[in-house]
């Protein structure tokens, strides 16, 4: 028996965090997300973060989640200016992997949120000749 066709419109990552308020503030203040915490008073158990069509969920965890040794936890495809976002986050010391030209044509960089989750921001650019490759 096969499953019926999947008719979803989004997949939303859920990050388990030790401090929902702190993590929520980071996404709001640095990346411009709107936040809906539950309950409204601290300590929050849960929050939905939204910016346009992008959503993240934060769920309180007493033990947290240790950061992974490699790789990213969320891959964010941008329609906006990746160079401007990179410059703003670099200026604040948040960039953990520089803006690079990838072999598959995207420009990418990474940051880590306060809980250690890695976000990779990506955009297809017409001209990436000025960007280094990961091996440079």
């Amino acid at each position: 028996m096969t499953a019926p066709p999947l008719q979803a419109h989004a997949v939303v990552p859920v990050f388990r965090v030790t401090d929902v308020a702190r993590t929520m503030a980071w996404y709001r203040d640095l990346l411009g997300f709107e936040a809906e915490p539950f309950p409204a008073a601290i300590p929050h158990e849960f929050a939905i973060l939204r910016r346009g069509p992008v959503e993240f969920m934060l769920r309180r965890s007493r033990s947290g989640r240790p950061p992974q040794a490699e790789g990213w936890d969320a891959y964010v495809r941008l329609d906006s200016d990746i160079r401007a976002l990179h410059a703003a986050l670099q200026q604040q010391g948040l960039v953990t992997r520089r803006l690079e030209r990838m072999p598959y044509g995207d420009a990418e960089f990474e940051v880590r949120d306060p809980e250690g989750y890695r976000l990779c921001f990506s955009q297809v650019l017409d001209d990436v000749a000025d960007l280094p490759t990961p091996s440079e």
Side-chain angles (χ1 to χ4, degrees):
M1 179 174 180
T2 61
L6 181 66
Q7 296 182 0
H9 70 274
V11 174
V12 181
V14 179
F15 292 168
R16 295 188 190 320
V17 301
T18 56
D19 189 333
V20 172
R22 177 188 68 172
T23 307
M24 184 177 69
W26 189 88
Y27 281 89
R28 183 190 60 228
D29 298 345
L30 294 172
L31 300 175
F33 279 83
E34 300 278 327
E36 292 180 35
F38 176 82
I42 294 175
H44 308 303
E45 293 293 322
F46 180 82
I48 298 174
L49 307 170
R50 291 187 182 96
R51 180 165 182 180
V54 178
E55 287 187 9
F56 288 95
M57 293 182 184
L58 306 176
R59 184 174 176 188
R60 186 169 168 222
S61 169
R62 306 242 186 292
S63 61
R65 175 196 163 275
Q68 298 296 316
E70 60 182 273
W72 54 77
D73 299 293
Y75 192 85
V76 183
R77 295 183 190 272
L78 300 175
D79 291 329
S80 57
D81 186 356
I82 193 170
R83 292 175 191 269
L85 179 61
H86 175 264
L89 296 176
Q90 178 71 36
Q91 190 173 44
Q92 296 183 47
L94 298 172
V95 173
T96 57
R97 181 170 64 98
R98 68 186 178 179
L99 184 59
E100 298 174 323
R101 171 177 29 122
M102 304 310 292
Y104 38 87
D106 290 11
E108 294 178 356
F109 75 95
E110 293 178 21
V111 301
R112 243 185 231 258
D113 79 4
E115 295 280 337
Y117 287 99
R118 291 181 181 189
L119 307 176
C120 181
F121 292 98
S122 169
Q123 186 176 20
V124 176
L125 299 176
D126 292 331
D127 184 14
V128 293
D130 63 315
L131 296 179
T133 62
S135 62
E136 295 176 336

